[in-house]
Amino acid sequence: MASSMLSLGSTSLLPREINKDKLKLGTSGSNPFLKAKSFSRVTMTVAVKPSRFEGITMAPPDPILGVSEAFKADTNEMKLNLGVGAYRTEELQPYVLNVVKKAENLMLERGDNKEYLPIEGLAAFNKATAELLFGAGHPVIKEQRVATIQGLSGTGSLRLAAALIERYFPGAKVVISSPTWGNHKNIFNDAKVPWSEYRYYDPKTIGLDFEGMIADIKEAPEGSFILLHGCAHNPTGIDPTPEQWVKIADVIQEKNHIPFFDVAYQGFASGSLDEDAASVRLFAERGMEFFVAQSYSKNLGLYAERIGAINVVCSSADAATRVKSQLKRIARPMYSNPPVHGARIVANVVGDATMFSEWKAEMEMMAGRIKTVRQELYDSLVSKDKSGKDWSFILKQIGMFSFTGLNKTQSDNMTNKWHVYMTKDGRISLAGLSLAKCEYLADAIIDSYHNALLYWETPIEL
């Protein structure tokens, strides 16, 4: 038996078994290893150089996208994914709008190229998106007082605006609703823009805390940016009434704040493009200067195309020109110029009267399916729950989501026992629910609400 150490550094590797018949190092006469009757172990040491990236820690999983990963791993046939906000058919399959397919076919027929767009994006898209938001004949359009550039959907558009705030409004604070879409805080943190919150959701009523909202906006430092959800508030589905929007505008004007709208669901919430833009148009009619971020992920189903826009309404055409120049300056080192495919789809659909009508019909269909599912879920809850609890808040909410009022423990029960995947704040996406599974979801909610409480918790009064 012979043993040998090959020293290549300071760190010892585990011994390995070596078969002498497989060593091809030369003849037995010249190879010292083969003179021994058996050669069983060789211990090697190598130097392991530390990584330059040792200081980088593992990032936490995304709270929304992580829900989908857990859902995919679940093999239960009754499982439901109510986490991600993406429209599904009654068969719970992704849906590509027919009008989108027509617009893409038109692009192929015309032989559209794939050349770079300008930094500000496709001109036809920018014109169409501003007119959809404000109305083609609106004074802000006619007077060229809107600086519009194409962005990478809603997220990218918000990020451009955040960079503009950080650069030209140093120290200004963005005041966001509590709760809000999970990525809002990430966006402003990344842009180094300070933020605080105003009250919005009232857990006692599972409704709008309007008095708290108004009080907090009044208390915000003068000149703050007030982030508002134009319609279909995410995650609550609770929107102010038209009368309440007037009061919100009054207070913002009184405090010299700057409104900042996030419009991700125009046409998808109510089924009407005009109705869902009413809050934005109210502020425009008052002559206010403000920001509006737009997305076409939901209303045209262009989730993966990353198509949206940032609009800045200014007091003059000259101001709008200067603001647009700086938005372009910010975009250039960030992503250079935006993608063309989704922009052409939007421009084609809006620019053709027939396709535009077809789009509005499909939006009404999608919004209508969600309204039907919302009603069916409410009916199932009322018929199954004999406790006398009031579930009417579900019908008062609007859009893709419903805020159930379930706490983290109850939400965990929804997933662990009932295989219903949702965010831990109690939000469910009704777009991922079918009529066939409304009763099952109602059973899960009732069980979780009444039975999945920690011993120190008491149920929320509904």
Side-chain angles (χ1 to χ4, degrees):
M1 181 79 67
S3 177
S4 177
M5 172 75 79
L6 299 181
S7 182
L8 301 178
S10 60
T11 303
S12 179
L13 297 179
L14 292 175
R16 296 177 180 269
E17 292 294 325
I18 297 200
N19 188 328
K20 70 176 183 179
D21 295 327
K22 293 182 180 179
L23 282 171
K24 305 297 184 180
L25 301 177
T27 65
S28 60
S30 62
N31 191 335
F33 287 110
L34 298 183
K35 290 179 180 179
K37 290 183 179 179
S38 67
F39 182 81
S40 59
R41 289 172 178 265
V42 174
T43 302
M44 302 179 68
T45 60
V46 296
V48 178
K49 187 176 181 179
S51 171
R52 296 289 183 91
F53 308 110
E54 286 298 322
I56 298 179
T57 60
M58 181 65 70
D62 186 274
I64 296 177
L65 300 182
V67 172
S68 292
E69 295 303 314
F71 170 80
K72 290 176 184 177
D74 193 331
T75 58
N76 189 283
E77 63 180 12
M78 293 303 292
K79 66 180 182 177
L80 277 171
N81 185 0
L82 306 183
V84 179
Y87 181 79
R88 296 289 182 262
T89 65
E90 177 62 23
E91 294 72 37
L92 302 184
Q93 296 301 309
Y95 178 64
V96 179
L97 275 67
N98 291 323
V99 73
V100 168
K101 296 175 183 177
K102 290 183 178 181
E104 289 180 319
N105 286 334
L106 180 61
M107 291 158 60
L108 289 172
E109 291 169 4
R110 289 192 311 217
D112 288 342
N113 62 46
K114 300 296 183 181
E115 291 292 305
Y116 289 124
L117 286 179
I119 300 172
E120 66 266 33
L122 187 70
F125 166 79
N126 289 341
K127 179 177 183 295
T129 196
E131 290 180 351
L132 279 176
L133 186 61
F134 299 104
H138 199 283
V140 296
I141 300 290
K142 288 183 175 181
E143 297 165 12
Q144 299 181 334
R145 291 194 287 112
V146 185
T148 300
I149 78 165
Q150 181 183 333
L152 304 182
S153 199
T155 300
S157 301
L158 287 161
R159 184 63 179 79
L160 284 173
L164 189 75
I165 292 171
E166 191 276 335
R167 187 170 297 183
Y168 293 101
F169 298 86
K173 182 179 289 187
V174 175
V175 191
I176 61 181
S177 65
S178 178
T180 192
W181 177 49
N183 216 18
H184 279 149
K185 296 176 183 179
N186 294 333
I187 290 166
F188 295 115
N189 284 339
D190 192 59
K192 297 180 173 56
V193 174
W195 55 268
S196 62
E197 297 178 305
Y198 59 82
R199 283 169 284 179
Y200 194 86
Y201 171 71
D202 184 350
K204 294 180 180 178
T205 63
I206 311 189
L208 177 64
D209 182 0
F210 184 66
E211 291 183 2
M213 177 184 184
I214 293 298
D216 290 346
I217 292 175
K218 284 183 177 179
E219 288 298 315
E222 185 172 334
S224 296
F225 288 83
I226 310 298
L227 188 66
L228 304 164
H229 299 229
C231 62
H233 182 274
N234 180 4
T236 68
I238 303 163
D239 284 355
T241 65
E243 294 76 21
Q244 288 172 332
W245 273 118
V246 171
K247 179 63 176 177
I248 292 167
D250 288 341
V251 173
I252 288 176
Q253 278 190 299
E254 290 168 9
K255 290 290 295 184
N256 199 31
H257 294 322
I258 303 173
F260 187 167
F261 283 93
D262 184 357
V263 178
Y265 302 95
Q266 186 183 356
F268 192 87
S270 68
S272 166
L273 288 164
D274 293 328
E275 184 175 337
D276 291 345
S279 59
V280 173
R281 294 176 185 180
L282 168 67
F283 282 66
E285 288 162 7
R286 292 187 170 214
M288 302 171 72
E289 293 186 302
F290 58 96
F291 292 8
V292 189
Q294 291 172 280
S295 168
Y296 288 89
S297 292
K298 307 300 191 297
N299 56 13
L300 261 172
L302 300 178
Y303 305 99
E305 301 299 345
R306 312 314 296 147
I307 177 63
I310 181 65
N311 305 266
V312 184
V313 180
C314 304
S315 60
S316 68
D318 176 65
T321 300
R322 287 183 280 109
V323 168
K324 185 173 182 177
S325 74
Q326 292 299 337
L327 287 170
K328 290 166 61 178
R329 186 181 181 187
I330 291 168
R332 175 60 170 159
M334 191 181 289
Y335 56 84
S336 190
N337 56 311
V340 70
H341 192 78
R344 282 190 177 136
I345 292 173
V346 176
N348 287 344
V349 170
V350 177
D352 182 276
T354 300
M355 283 198 288
F356 187 55
S357 296
E358 291 177 6
W359 177 38
K360 290 192 288 186
E362 285 195 87
M363 272 191 294
E364 290 176 6
M365 179 274 293
M366 292 189 292
R369 193 188 90 74
I370 292 175
K371 289 177 183 177
T372 301
V373 166
R374 187 182 290 277
Q375 182 67 54
E376 182 65 23
L377 176 60
Y378 168 77
D379 291 342
S380 297
L381 286 166
V382 170
S383 66
K384 288 173 173 288
D385 183 20
K386 305 304 180 183
S387 69
K389 294 298 181 183
D390 180 9
W391 298 98
S392 63
F393 65 87
I394 289 176
L395 298 181
K396 296 174 184 176
Q397 297 168 357
I398 189 172
M400 180 175 285
F401 301 110
S402 178
F403 216 53
T404 62
L406 298 179
N407 60 34
K408 183 181 183 301
T409 302
Q410 294 164 327
S411 298
D412 285 340
N413 186 72
M414 293 280 286
T415 300
N416 298 335
K417 179 177 179 179
W418 293 91
H419 306 274
V420 176
Y421 291 83
M422 56 191 288
T423 54
K424 301 307 179 185
D425 57 5
R427 187 195 80 171
I428 58 174
S429 172
L430 296 179
L433 179 64
S434 65
L435 289 172
K437 290 196 173 182
C438 281
E439 288 194 11
Y440 178 78
L441 180 59
D443 288 334
I445 291 174
I446 292 168
D447 172 68
S448 299
Y449 174 76
H450 290 293
N451 302 322
L453 292 170
L454 296 177
Y455 68 89
W456 63 80
E457 293 176 323
T458 56
I460 298 169
E461 281 300 321
L462 302 179

